[in-house]
Amino acid sequence: TMSLREHALYLFRSAVGTVRPAPMLKRAVKLQGDRCPQLLVKGQAFPVKRDLYLVGFGKAVLGMAAAAEEILGDHLVRGIINVPLGIQENLQRAGMPEMLLRPHSKIQVIEGAKNNLPDPEALKGAVAIQELAEGLTADDLLLVLISGGGSALLPAPIPPILLQEKEKLTKMLASQGAAIQELNTVRKTLSLLKGGGLARLAYPAQVVSLILSDVIGDPLDIIASGPTAPSSHSVQDCLQILAKYNLLHNLPKSVETVLSSSPSKPAAPEHYSHVCNIIIGSNMLALDEAKHQAESLGYTALILSAAVCGDVRRVSRLYCQLIQLLCLGFAGQGEGPLGEEVRANLLQLEAELEIPGLKLAEFLQTLGGLGSERPICILAGGETTVQLQGSGKGGRNQELALRVGLGLHRAQATEVRGHPGRCEIIFLSGGTDGQDGPTEAAGALCSPELVNEALQEGLDVEAFLSNNDSYTFFSQFRGGHHLLVTGLTGTNVMDIQVILVRA
């Protein structure tokens, strides 16, 4: 039989596999009929009256475009995609030709946004996409492919603003501590294509956007700054943010010009009646697939949330307490005083973390009703944050796994009765894009035995954690056996966590 570790790896890979560009597009998109062809997207039909065009931008768009061209065949007249610098070479090297366009493709690829920052190459691609959109007629259909990282790949400041002026303003805001939502609000207001601009320029053509979400809650106007979604912000919002950070008085002339001539209200929703935005891949979709696979392996599987966010320290405590509760349940002590204490800790953590849409009391009730005859799988996803204190090498998933390992070890050391020692436990955390921080690992796995085993090898887990050096720890521990290494996946729906527990 497979070990828990092998099960965890299998579930993670199944989850990622379901949101890889080709299978995802082939599930969502079909082209029907020859005489009067129709594009079918998740059951909605769009007639292809005349010409079909394609544009795209984002880190996962190359693979999406390759799959789309295969589906659309000769109906596709022309396409332009903006993708990260070096991605074609990286995928070639990684042996992933299915993610690359075929020779003589009708889709032009422009690489830009070095280090995920808008640059002249990305601007060149954005201008080409803008010109294509502006030339469309009512009989044309524009298919737009969008994934995370699309914002930096679609810079088109409203003239006379120059790219470097917009960049400088964004940097000034960031250095004053502006939140990402505030930065995006300002960016969208000064952009031709973001905040629904691309959709408005493509009018009167039918616009169909296929979106791979890398943002918690899948908000259409936030993913890649919402080029085909109505913006919920006005010029007033932008001015308020600039005032809040005392930047109204030293704005470049060009920015003042644009702000003073911008419409005061965002475009009304009826201006978007020619647009259909469809999310074809998300963290939840990946978790659903993992749940289905876990059940087929004999687990009772539950999804905690697809929106787990917050500092890794708190999130690791949340997972440790959940695992303790599962172990108490297996030991028949879930309803006793220890179980009560753990539940109270969990509800306290829920209040501190403020995870959107998390209904922990309901989840714990479901958990309490489970029998102890089958192993349990808990799945979650989202994106945590790490407060850097050291100068080590790691990523949020590796640090989360290491912190959970430490937490389980401490629980085992202090609790004689309901300790996790009676259960077999594995915890996995990984980034669906295959990269966790500046390392080749996607994440890591841990178990309650990790800390003791590491001590035998002369490795002090707490010392590595205080230096944010989880990658060095996992590389040295057991020959890197606990690192999760998948290589580039060509997709990104944030992170996934897998908890497996059996008596």
Side-chain angles (χ1 to χ4, degrees):
T1 57
M2 284 161 80
S3 66
L4 280 196
R5 175 198 152 80
E6 286 165 329
H7 281 172
L9 289 169
Y10 172 74
L11 296 177
F12 179 76
R13 293 203 154 105
S14 308
V16 172
T18 204
V19 289
R20 278 185 184 251
M24 190 175 61
L25 258 125
K26 286 172 184 163
R27 267 199 318 273
V29 183
K30 310 236 178 323
L31 195 68
Q32 253 192 358
D34 256 354
R35 300 276 290 280
C36 340
Q38 282 188 324
L39 188 67
L40 289 180
V41 184
K42 280 197 164 176
Q44 297 187 60
F46 304 96
V48 181
K49 296 177 200 157
R50 200 179 76 176
D51 291 340
L52 210 161
Y53 294 90
L54 179 151
V55 297
F57 27 87
K59 293 178 181 177
V61 157
L62 189 60
M64 289 166 80
E69 187 163 32
E70 208 176 300
I71 296 164
L72 304 174
D74 292 338
H75 292 286
L76 178 66
V77 176
R78 180 171 165 238
I80 302 169
I81 57 171
N82 262 15
V83 295
L85 190 69
I87 189 165
Q88 295 178 95
E89 195 189 333
N90 289 345
L91 290 169
Q92 194 84 54
R93 268 211 313 268
M96 297 168 78
E98 73 283 1
M99 296 275 189
L100 298 167
L101 295 169
R102 291 200 289 273
H104 317 299
S105 163
K106 291 177 185 166
I107 300 171
Q108 177 191 359
V109 180
I110 297 170
E111 293 192 358
K114 189 180 179 181
N115 301 328
N116 205 22
L117 294 168
D119 59 13
E121 284 308 303
L123 179 60
K124 195 176 88 179
V127 169
I129 287 172
Q130 179 193 335
E131 286 170 354
L132 188 151
E134 286 172 335
L136 300 176
T137 71
D139 289 337
D140 293 324
L141 194 153
L142 179 66
L143 191 63
V144 184
L145 307 176
I146 301 175
S147 79
S151 200
L153 286 158
L154 200 68
I158 298 171
I161 301 173
L162 300 172
L163 186 61
Q164 48 276 39
E165 290 176 321
K166 190 174 158 189
E167 271 317 277
K168 193 175 158 197
L169 182 60
T170 312
K171 280 204 182 92
M172 275 159 43
L173 274 167
S175 68
Q176 303 261 14
I180 184 71
Q181 284 80 358
E182 294 177 315
L183 289 173
N184 276 347
T185 302
V186 172
R187 276 191 198 128
K188 284 195 291 191
T189 313
L190 304 178
S191 169
L192 275 171
L193 301 175
K194 296 182 173 94
L198 177 62
R200 292 195 300 276
L201 290 176
Y203 182 84
Q206 169 76 58
V207 177
V208 180
S209 280
L210 306 181
I211 302 166
L212 178 63
S213 170
D214 70 333
V215 182
I216 281 177
D218 310 332
L220 293 172
D221 62 330
I222 304 284
I223 303 162
S225 301
T228 58
S231 173
S232 45
H233 300 107
S234 65
V235 160
Q236 264 1 81
D237 297 319
C238 179
L239 291 169
Q240 264 169 357
I241 292 165
L242 293 169
K244 175 179 166 183
Y245 295 103
N246 298 323
L247 292 173
L248 276 179
H249 305 297
N250 49 0
L251 290 176
K253 263 275 160 282
S254 58
V255 173
E256 283 181 5
T257 308
V258 167
L259 289 175
S260 61
S261 61
S262 294
S264 57
K265 288 209 285 284
E270 57 267 23
H271 289 281
Y272 292 88
S273 57
H274 64 299
V275 183
C276 188
N277 288 306
I278 302 169
I279 290 190
I280 62 165
S282 65
N283 192 275
M284 199 62 196
L285 198 80
L287 292 176
D288 281 334
E289 175 63 20
K291 178 177 190 279
H292 171 71
Q293 294 296 339
E295 286 165 348
S296 68
L297 289 172
Y299 288 86
T300 301
L302 298 173
I303 295 174
L304 174 68
S305 164
V308 174
C309 53
D311 185 67
V312 285
R313 290 165 183 263
R314 279 192 178 146
V315 174
S316 69
R317 290 217 302 276
L318 178 81
Y319 288 140
C320 286
Q321 298 280 330
L322 263 178
I323 292 167
Q324 268 177 279
L325 196 59
L326 291 177
C327 291
L328 286 167
F330 278 127
Q333 300 177 339
E335 300 306 313
L338 264 176
E340 283 306 309
E341 192 186 319
V342 173
R343 270 192 285 275
N345 290 343
L346 279 164
L347 293 170
Q348 174 63 40
L349 278 167
E350 177 186 30
E352 288 173 22
L353 277 163
E354 299 182 339
I355 291 167
L358 178 61
K359 297 186 175 71
L360 196 56
E362 280 177 35
F363 184 82
L364 295 178
Q365 212 169 351
T366 310
L367 218 50
L370 300 179
S372 56
E373 47 285 341
R374 287 169 69 187
I376 292 175
C377 166
I378 293 181
L379 298 155
E383 200 158 275
T384 56
T385 45
V386 175
Q387 291 193 316
L388 288 176
Q389 283 153 332
S391 56
K393 201 173 180 188
R396 55 181 184 261
N397 289 290
Q398 293 163 79
E399 177 147 338
L400 179 58
L402 196 50
R403 287 192 179 280
V404 168
L406 181 60
L408 293 175
H409 165 75
R410 286 179 176 159
Q412 219 166 15
T414 52
E415 285 181 5
V416 188
R417 287 173 302 157
H419 73 70
R422 305 183 183 182
C423 287
E424 202 187 338
I425 300 162
I426 203 96
F427 174 85
L428 174 152
S429 186
T432 54
D433 58 355
Q435 279 178 311
D436 186 36
T439 72
E440 87 277 7
L445 301 96
C446 76
S447 67
E449 297 75 46
L450 174 108
V451 175
N452 280 337
E453 290 171 356
L455 274 174
Q456 288 164 12
E457 293 187 25
L459 300 171
D460 175 356
V461 167
E462 293 186 52
F464 282 99
L465 278 171
S466 62
N467 193 29
N468 297 114
D469 205 9
S470 52
Y471 174 74
T472 309
F473 169 82
F474 281 116
S475 312
Q476 292 176 6
F477 176 60
R478 299 247 156 138
H481 184 62
H482 286 63
L483 276 175
L484 171 63
V485 181
T486 59
L488 278 180
T489 62
T491 189
N492 181 16
V493 294
M494 301 181 288
D495 304 333
I496 284 175
Q497 281 92 44
V498 182
I499 296 171
L500 301 179
V501 180
R502 66 180 172 204

